[in-house]
Amino acid sequence: MISSQAPVLIPITFLFAAMLIPLVGAVHRAAAHLTAVLGSALALYFSVVGMQATLAQGRISYHIAGWMPPIGIEFVLDPLSAFICALLCGITFIVMVFGKRSVEYEIPQKEIAFYSLSMLLLGGLAGMVMTGDLFNLYVFLEIGALAGYALVAIGDKRAVVSAFRYLVMGTVGATFYLLGVALIFISTGTLNMADIAQLMPLVHDSPAVIVGLVLIVLGTALKMALFPMHAWLPDAYTHASTTATALIAPIGTKVSAYVLFRVLFFVVDPDHLRTEMLNLLQVIGYLGAAGIIWGSIMAICQSELKRMLAYSSVAQVGYIAVGIALASPLGFIGAILHALNHAVMKCCLFLVSGNMRMRLGHSSIPQMNNGLRKSMPWTSAAFTLAAISMIGLPPTAGFFGKWYLALGAIEQSHWIFLTALLISTILNVAYFFRVMERMYLKPQEPGAVDYSEQTVARNEAPASMLIPTLFLAISLLVLGFANAWIVSNLIVPMIPGWL
Amino acid sequence: MIEFIQGYYAYIFLAATFTIGLYGMMMKQNLMKKVLGMSVVAACTILFWIVSAYKDGAGVTVLDKRYGVENPELYLNPLPHTLMLTAIVVAVVTLGVALALLIGIYREFKTLDEPTLLERMK
């Protein structure tokens, strides 16, 4: 029963929670956080049920108000959207549990607005993942984006400026997307993705369709911060509050990447993609490869932990773009697996930076020393594990995404992509070991004579923040060991048949 | 050439206006002008949808007794117009959020000029 309604229940749950939180918060302040946690837990439950049903019986399609697909709006849960949806609901639940103390500390008096907006953001993103209609996707994209701008603006003093920059870039992206949809609508006369996919072979030569696809790819690339269009991302991530960053960074760009997957692999005519549109894929891939190198180099130059992680996100989006550009089963697996791994590890790293801000008051790398290891042993351990995973050392999850991408690049003899992957691994080592060296080895200031355990008080983050961080860190190991199971059971069913 | 311009003059006009809007967003240093450029770009996109649904000699999508239902070319496609109602709402909301952010920036830094703003943010 629930499973057949799951596609529409998940966004509705988030949107309903977003409306409920201001009402509940007006009665009792603390209840706002509880509602957000319960809302995301409910959505997580629905998404898990939906994913099980999808794997058991295939595609679930929900028709809004009973109107049949080519005319009515369709919500679809197929293996790909079910997977991405479960991922974003899971991350949201963990971040919401984490959020209580962090939000109270960083943005006091704004909790109710914050939780309401974060539910609205998730409602928009979940809707983007579920919908089977290109225009509906635009509406959800704007719901999520507007909530995202406001979430970024609730931050430190400079956050308003970075939120404004984010808004300008995001609106350009959404406008390009809408123009692209217009051109495709003019040529095919329908907005339903499955319907367009059927009609595409008839019109794929028309210039309008090609320009439309390029505009859609351009708009989505702006939203997912593909290399030359990433300028909004570092500022927005740095100045927002930790919880907002931990929500937007792992999920926001992934959902835009999902739209790219959906349009390129499920809407465009496969034969056409293989021949003429290949240039478009190549451009995406080379931009991704350039972004991998550029993001990693910029990350080395940063002195603030959150800013470094933001630039590293630019690089990680590049991996997904490379996976899309390979357009082979291995590339597809690599890109999806990397989206999962990156969401978990980047979320974990941002939570670590939140823990540091809570206890040290800063997350500036030059000020760190080995007192950190003594005062916050668990946080440091979580950071180390996530950093190892980001670099891509074998038992952790990060390795396997890169491994499939590298195999895909070798299979098609794309040596430029392979080189970019290898160089970026070395650069990742450089910027993560720089932090770990300070965290574990650099002695404290010479003024403090005694370096023994007694001088540094144990000052770990509160349990409600520490447990989510550790949970994410440990799940990186679990994901790493379970990667064969995840690939064969979850990712292989979602590969389109023609690939 | 003349036929091309006559056939597509609305699209040519929209492309020119879109470019002007993008220019304003990218090149102008006053943040308010960036918002104006953004508004122009959004309006162009909405007009593009509406122009695409236009047909010579067709009327509104209400059943007319004189024409009946035999000639669909006498009616416009209503879908783009209805969709653009939603897009207009979205554009207005985006404009509202942008203006709210501008008020926030002005309260914090007392300027909307980008070079001065970058100077004061240091």
Side-chain angles (χ1 to χ4, degrees):
Chain A
M1 179 59 202
I2 289 177
S3 62
S4 66
Q5 318 282 334
V8 77
L9 274 175
I10 299 163
I12 290 285
T13 311
F14 282 124
L15 294 178
F16 187 67
M19 286 188 284
L20 200 63
I21 285 170
L23 297 178
V24 171
V27 179
H28 198 283
R29 218 175 168 73
H33 173 254
L34 196 66
T35 319
V37 171
L38 287 180
S40 45
L42 196 62
L44 179 61
Y45 169 71
F46 288 145
S47 69
V48 170
V49 169
M51 189 157 86
Q52 279 176 340
T54 314
L55 291 175
Q57 51 187 295
R59 190 172 187 273
I60 300 171
S61 158
Y62 182 91
H63 312 134
I64 300 277
W67 288 85
M68 290 313 279
I71 293 169
I73 295 169
E74 186 189 18
F75 272 53
V76 184
L77 205 62
D78 66 355
L80 178 60
S81 59
F83 180 80
I84 299 284
C85 190
L87 171 67
L88 72 89
C89 291
I91 295 281
T92 312
F93 177 65
I94 293 166
V95 173
M96 280 297 134
V97 172
F98 171 90
K100 186 171 171 37
R101 295 291 299 275
S102 175
V103 170
E104 276 171 10
Y105 171 73
E106 283 182 23
I107 38 174
Q109 304 304 317
K110 292 176 184 160
E111 295 103 328
I112 295 173
F114 179 87
Y115 292 123
S116 182
L117 282 171
S118 56
M119 287 294 111
L120 203 57
L121 170 78
L122 264 300
L125 295 181
M128 275 170 82
V129 174
M130 296 298 167
T131 183
D133 181 290
L134 284 179
F135 187 79
N136 213 250
L137 200 155
Y138 166 77
V139 174
F140 277 116
L141 183 135
E142 282 288 25
I143 292 175
L146 285 166
Y149 309 144
L151 271 182
V152 170
I154 310 180
D156 64 13
K157 200 164 161 256
R158 294 179 194 173
V160 203
V161 180
S162 38
F164 180 77
R165 203 162 286 163
Y166 184 17
L167 182 140
V168 170
M169 300 288 250
T171 310
V172 174
T175 311
F176 279 155
Y177 176 82
L178 188 60
L179 267 182
V181 174
L183 287 165
I184 288 189
F185 178 70
I186 291 170
S187 311
T188 60
T190 173
L191 287 167
N192 186 287
M193 288 183 198
D195 218 24
I196 294 175
Q198 282 185 346
L199 292 170
M200 211 46 140
L202 303 175
V203 292
H204 66 58
D205 287 331
S206 99
V209 168
I210 293 171
V211 173
L213 280 174
V214 170
L215 281 173
I216 288 182
V217 168
L218 194 63
T220 326
L222 258 165
K223 284 275 175 195
M224 76 184 254
L226 195 61
F227 163 57
M229 298 160 259
H230 66 278
W232 56 269
L233 185 142
D235 280 344
Y237 285 8
T238 313
H239 301 307
S241 66
T242 307
T243 320
T245 317
L247 268 186
I248 298 173
I251 305 170
T253 51
K254 299 296 167 303
V255 172
S256 302
Y258 161 86
V259 174
L260 213 51
F261 268 112
R262 183 58 79 190
V263 170
L264 287 177
F265 291 138
F266 293 85
V267 175
V268 179
D269 177 29
D271 296 331
H272 196 223
L273 190 72
R274 279 245 182 274
T275 51
E276 281 111 271
M277 295 300 282
L278 203 61
N279 289 330
L280 184 60
L281 286 181
Q282 296 295 315
V283 169
I284 295 173
Y286 288 125
L287 290 183
I292 292 175
I293 305 288
W294 174 256
S296 306
I297 291 174
M298 287 305 283
I300 293 178
C301 308
Q302 305 306 320
S303 61
E304 163 76 13
L305 182 61
K306 265 176 94 177
R307 207 171 170 80
M308 182 188 102
L309 295 175
Y311 272 108
S312 140
S313 272
V314 175
Q316 307 295 320
V317 165
Y319 287 114
I320 299 176
V322 165
I324 292 174
L326 289 174
S328 67
L330 280 174
F332 193 92
I333 294 173
I336 296 284
L337 200 59
H338 195 78
L340 164 73
N341 296 336
H342 176 242
V344 176
M345 57 205 182
K346 194 43 74 60
C347 186
C348 180
L349 286 169
F350 274 118
L351 295 192
V352 166
S353 82
N355 288 349
M356 284 180 187
R357 286 196 170 194
M358 175 100 179
R359 285 303 184 222
L360 306 177
H362 69 84
S363 59
S364 150
I365 299 168
Q367 293 180 42
M368 291 180 186
N369 54 38
N370 71 354
L372 198 59
R373 155 176 72 99
K374 291 167 195 161
S375 63
M376 304 173 78
W378 292 108
T379 304
S380 310
F383 179 87
T384 311
L385 200 56
I388 287 174
S389 179
M390 286 291 282
I391 294 164
L393 293 181
T396 49
F399 168 73
F400 296 99
K402 288 190 183 181
W403 176 246
Y404 281 107
L405 286 176
L407 281 182
I410 293 170
E411 186 191 53
Q412 300 194 8
S413 317
H414 270 300
W415 305 119
I416 294 180
F417 294 166
L418 189 68
T419 321
L421 287 173
L422 294 177
I423 292 177
S424 88
T425 305
I426 297 168
L427 294 174
N428 274 352
V429 170
Y431 62 79
F432 279 113
F433 271 82
R434 188 175 57 121
V435 181
M436 269 143 65
E437 186 253 345
R438 289 187 175 274
M439 198 180 256
Y440 282 94
L441 301 175
K442 184 173 180 272
Q444 283 160 278
E445 292 304 307
V449 187
D450 193 8
Y451 298 147
S452 64
E453 300 289 325
Q454 283 79 24
T455 53
V456 181
R458 184 76 167 268
N459 194 12
E460 192 56 88
S464 73
M465 292 166 72
L466 189 61
I467 291 170
T469 318
L470 286 178
F471 177 79
L472 286 175
I474 291 167
S475 63
L476 279 173
L477 280 178
V478 175
L479 287 176
F481 284 117
N483 84 88
W485 184 86
I486 292 173
V487 168
S488 59
N489 283 307
L490 301 181
I491 300 183
V492 169
M494 68 176 82
I495 298 176
W498 55 269
L499 207 62
Chain B
M1 188 62 199
I2 297 291
E3 286 90 52
F4 179 80
I5 293 175
Q6 276 176 341
Y8 291 98
Y9 70 94
Y11 293 101
I12 295 167
F13 168 76
L14 283 179
T17 323
F18 191 87
T19 320
I20 292 170
L22 272 184
Y23 170 82
M25 284 175 87
M26 290 190 291
M27 296 309 199
K28 290 292 170 193
Q29 303 207 314
N30 189 310
L31 296 185
M32 194 61 218
K33 289 183 180 168
K34 278 184 194 286
V35 172
L36 288 177
M38 203 175 81
S39 197
V40 170
V41 165
C44 274
T45 316
I46 290 165
L47 279 175
F48 185 82
W49 275 81
I50 290 173
V51 166
S52 76
Y54 176 74
K55 269 189 294 192
D56 226 11
V60 287
T61 325
V62 179
L63 181 62
D64 196 325
K65 286 275 160 45
R66 286 171 296 166
Y67 304 134
V69 289
E70 284 78 37
N71 292 320
E73 66 267 20
L74 290 177
Y75 299 100
L76 289 176
N77 184 357
L79 190 61
H81 296 76
T82 1
L83 293 180
M84 282 311 106
L85 280 179
T86 317
I88 289 168
V89 171
V90 168
V92 169
V93 172
T94 315
L95 191 63
V97 173
L99 291 178
L101 288 178
L102 281 187
I103 292 171
I105 291 173
Y106 192 78
R107 280 199 186 136
E108 197 75 59
F109 299 101
K110 298 287 173 229
T111 178
L112 286 179
D113 186 51
E114 205 166 22
T116 326
L117 183 66
L118 291 176
E119 195 64 35
R120 291 187 189 171
M121 267 169 66
K122 278 179 188 154

